[in-house]
């Protein structure tokens, strides 16, 4: 019989080795926070904690912001899940979660299972609050976006290709993604946790525009 605790420990090691030195804000520490939050939400929402934990741990190993070849990364994850002894139904569920929770410019359809909703909420919560602001600026620096540029318009209704291109700024990203997340939370617990972190974003932007002397959109 599969030892779930061992699978979790092995998965933690796999992801830690892969993402410890990642520089875009999708590093091991992001994964660790998301997994902790996901487990807390799963407990309150009565979701399958094992599926939630493994999906949260693996969710960025096939993300196009981190890997060059998503298909190969997904294939590697599928092979790992099978070799770990996870049954086919749970393995497919975990893969589906990994493939569907990303924001991707708001183009992904709503997730369907409770476990997917839990992992998505936990991942999105890490894009809010103080840590969300820190990650936003780290990612902007990684891809070469400026902190702020008054001539760059806030983009709406973007394709994934448009969302991923570099014609934006860190501050614009607040409006293009971060401020939208509160209203996109799936679970009651996620909504409650998002409210305070969202308020922190609003207060930060008020102070940012006060200091720059620019008018806030």
């Amino acid at each position: 019989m599969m030892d779930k605790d061992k699978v979790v420990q092995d998965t933690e090691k796999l992801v830690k080795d892969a993402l410890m030195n990642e520089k875009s804000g999708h590093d091991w520490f992001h994964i660790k926070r998301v997994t902790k939050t996901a487990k807390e939400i799963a407990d309150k929402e009565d979701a399958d904690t094992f599926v939630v934990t493994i999906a949260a741990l693996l969710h960025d190993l096939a993300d196009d912001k981190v890997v060059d070849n998503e298909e190969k990364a997904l294939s590697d994850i599928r092979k790992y899940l099978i070799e770990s002894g996870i049954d086919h139904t749970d393995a497919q569920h975990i893969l589906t979660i990994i493939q569907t929770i990303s924001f991707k410019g708001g183009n992904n359809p709503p997730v369907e299972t409770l476990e997917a909703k839990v992992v998505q909420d936990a991942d999105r919560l890490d894009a809010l609050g103080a840590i969300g602001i820190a990650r936003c600026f780290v990612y902007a620096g990684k891809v070469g976006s400026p902190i702020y540029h008054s001539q760059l318009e806030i983009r709406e209704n973007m394709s994934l290709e448009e969302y991923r291109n570099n014609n934006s700024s860190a501050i614009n990203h607040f409006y293009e993604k971060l401020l939208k997340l509160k209203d996109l939370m799936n679970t009651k617990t996620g909504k409650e946790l998002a409210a305070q972190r969202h308020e922190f974003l609003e207060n930060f932007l008020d102070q940012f525009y006060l200091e720059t002397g620019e008018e806030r959109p």
Side-chain angles (χ1 to χ4, degrees), residues 3-48:
D3 183 338
K4 289 186 176 181
D5 289 339
K6 185 177 186 306
V7 173
V8 171
Q9 292 171 5
D10 290 347
T11 307
E12 287 176 348
K13 184 180 186 306
L14 172 73
V15 179
K16 187 174 183 178
D17 289 346
L19 297 179
M20 177 58 78
N21 295 315
E22 205 280 332
K23 304 297 185 184
S24 75
H26 301 82
D27 56 15
W28 163 246
F29 300 104
H30 162 66
I31 299 295
K32 187 176 179 180
R33 289 188 304 270
V34 169
T35 303
K36 178 177 182 293
T37 302
K39 289 166 70 175
E40 292 171 353
I41 298 175
D43 184 59
K44 293 182 178 180
E45 300 288 336
D46 199 27
D48 185 322

Side-chain angles (χ1 to χ4, degrees), residues 6-181:
K6 185 177 186 306
V7 173
V8 171
Q9 292 171 5
D10 290 347
T11 307
E12 287 176 348
K13 184 180 186 306
L14 172 73
V15 179
K16 187 174 183 178
D17 289 346
L19 297 179
M20 177 58 78
N21 295 315
E22 205 280 332
K23 304 297 185 184
S24 75
H26 301 82
D27 56 15
W28 163 246
F29 300 104
H30 162 66
I31 299 295
K32 187 176 179 180
R33 289 188 304 270
V34 169
T35 303
K36 178 177 182 293
T37 302
K39 289 166 70 175
E40 292 171 353
I41 298 175
D43 184 59
K44 293 182 178 180
E45 300 288 336
D46 199 27
D48 185 322
T49 302
F50 177 71
V51 168
V52 163
T53 300
I54 299 301
L57 285 168
L58 293 171
H59 80 273
D60 272 343
L61 287 192
D63 191 292
D64 64 347
K65 297 185 295 297
V66 176
V67 299
D68 294 327
N69 189 328
E70 286 184 86
E71 289 303 316
K72 181 182 184 304
L74 284 168
S75 177
D76 290 344
I77 292 171
R78 183 179 292 107
K79 180 180 178 183
Y80 171 77
L81 294 174
I82 293 170
E83 291 178 348
S84 295
I86 297 173
D87 72 66
H88 175 77
T89 300
D90 283 348
Q92 187 56 51
H93 191 181
I94 290 164
L95 282 166
T96 299
I97 293 171
I98 292 169
Q99 292 175 273
T100 57
I101 66 166
S102 183
F103 183 72
K104 293 186 182 299
N107 293 301
N108 267 353
V111 294
E112 297 181 354
T113 69
L114 175 58
E115 288 72 26
K117 292 176 181 180
V118 168
V119 178
Q120 187 175 69
D121 280 2
D123 190 33
R124 288 177 170 179
L125 282 164
D126 211 54
L128 295 172
I131 194 68
I133 292 171
R135 292 181 65 226
C136 177
F137 286 105
V138 165
Y139 186 75
K142 172 73 173 179
V143 301
S145 294
I147 292 174
Y148 173 71
H149 194 310
S150 61
Q151 301 304 309
L152 287 176
E153 294 185 0
I154 295 168
R155 304 173 300 174
E156 297 287 349
N157 302 316
M158 295 168 281
S159 66
L160 175 59
E161 183 179 356
E162 290 169 336
Y163 179 66
R164 286 284 188 258
N165 77 32
N166 200 24
N167 193 30
S168 189
S169 71
I171 292 298
N172 279 22
H173 191 62
F174 279 68
Y175 295 94
E176 294 169 356
K177 176 183 177 180
L178 307 189
L179 293 173
K180 297 178 179 180
L181 297 180

